[in-house]
Amino acid sequence: MLPAHHSQADDDAYLDYLQSPLQPLADNLEGSMYETFESDPVKYARYQEAVRLYLSRKIVERVVIMVLGAGRGPLVAACLAAAEQTQRNVYIYAVEKNASAVITLRNRRDREPWKQRVKVVQADMRSWKPPEKADLIVSELLGSFGDNELSPECLSSAHKLLARDGICIPQNSTSFIAPICSQALHSNVAALGPSRAHFETPYVVKIQHGVRISGPQPCFKFAHPNDRVRIAFGLSTSPTDPLTL
């Protein structure tokens, strides 16, 4: 989804245009890309509802939430809104490695009523050592194909941050694949050069000229954390019942 201030002409410029998938673990994203993410009105509402469901079941004095890959703070805001809805006392660690995004996070913390409930941490989630364990980890590292932002690798490393009965949102993700027929996209890839590697490279495309020739089928699924990771880190193998939206 493009930001609201984009015109139809801006939108049309991306039709059948080959884009390389984002790799925010390797590259720090620019502010315009965060703005694109934040313009999605559905995603963060669904995250807020998922956190609300979790908090409504978690009856403790204080809930520790870790937002891993916090960006400029939309997930932090969603978690705080869910806490207001459920009247739960939460403390949030907003973990982000991108220095420019951390500046925005800290400004939001100081400007909005976050200061007593949010700690901004500039760190790589895979190596960060927190002062306490998380009841809930929230992340949006799914990417265009479920794993191209390395969510399995990052979240597997981050499971050492979970309390024994802690859970993640999302708890699992499934990527689907479907064949399409598109002369336009074939020509666009061929124009990149004679190497076959171009045809074996994933691209993000807003398809205009193409026909899906079969229905989507599940390709692979990741659980966060999976049972092997739970056993390795001594986590409960019977976590809270799955959150169903």
Side-chain angles (χ1 to χ4, degrees):
M1 178 180 290
L2 296 173
H5 63 260
H6 272 61
S7 66
Q8 185 61 44
D10 293 324
D11 199 350
D12 291 347
Y14 285 90
L15 295 176
D16 292 336
Y17 179 74
L18 304 176
Q19 303 176 75
S20 297
L22 295 175
Q23 298 186 51
L25 185 62
D27 307 315
N28 287 329
L29 301 181
E30 298 180 355
S32 59
M33 190 57 64
Y34 285 116
E35 185 178 351
T36 299
F37 294 158
E38 293 161 10
S39 67
D40 187 335
V42 176
K43 176 172 65 173
Y44 297 109
R46 300 292 279 177
Y47 267 100
Q48 180 177 326
E49 177 63 8
V51 175
R52 185 196 68 78
L53 285 172
Y54 171 78
L55 292 176
S56 68
R57 303 176 184 180
K58 187 73 174 179
I59 311 300
V60 294
E61 182 177 341
R62 177 176 176 268
V63 179
V64 176
I65 301 175
M66 294 180 184
V67 178
L68 303 183
R72 304 196 306 184
L75 283 182
V76 176
C79 291
L80 289 173
E84 290 295 326
Q85 288 178 304
T86 55
Q87 294 297 294
R88 291 287 188 268
N89 177 27
V90 303
Y91 191 77
I92 300 175
Y93 292 89
V95 183
E96 174 58 50
K97 73 175 185 65
N98 187 339
S100 62
V102 167
I103 292 172
T104 302
L105 271 175
R106 288 175 174 158
N107 287 337
R108 288 192 71 174
R109 178 200 59 191
D110 296 339
R111 186 177 67 250
E112 301 180 28
W114 290 12
K115 201 158 192 178
Q116 303 305 315
R117 296 188 291 173
V118 177
K119 180 177 179 61
V120 177
V121 179
Q122 182 176 354
D124 187 320
M125 69 182 75
R126 297 170 298 171
S127 57
W128 178 52
K129 297 180 179 179
E132 56 186 328
K133 299 286 189 177
D135 298 300
L136 175 65
I137 285 178
V138 184
S139 173
E140 58 173 325
L141 299 177
L142 295 179
S144 303
F145 197 51
D147 71 337
N148 62 279
E149 294 186 12
L150 297 182
S151 65
E153 292 84 350
C154 289
L155 292 180
S156 289
S157 299
H159 291 326
K160 62 182 180 292
L161 310 178
L162 273 176
R164 189 174 187 278
D165 61 346
I167 71 167
C168 292
I169 296 177
Q171 291 175 290
N172 59 70
S173 62
T174 303
S175 296
F176 290 79
I177 189 168
I180 67 165
C181 180
S182 173
Q183 180 60 47
L185 293 180
H186 184 279
S187 298
N188 289 347
V189 175
L192 297 175
S195 173
R196 181 174 177 174
H198 296 301
F199 285 93
E200 299 174 348
T201 299
Y203 301 98
V204 176
V205 185
K206 187 170 185 179
I207 300 173
Q208 180 185 31
H209 299 102
V211 177
R212 193 170 68 189
I213 57 179
S214 183
Q217 299 292 325
C219 181
F220 42 71
K221 181 175 183 176
F222 295 103
H224 308 295
N226 61 46
D227 288 341
R228 185 169 56 184
V229 171
R230 283 190 172 279
I231 293 170
F233 285 103
L235 305 176
S236 171
T237 54
S238 299
T240 303
D241 292 339
L243 303 174
T244 302
L245 297 182

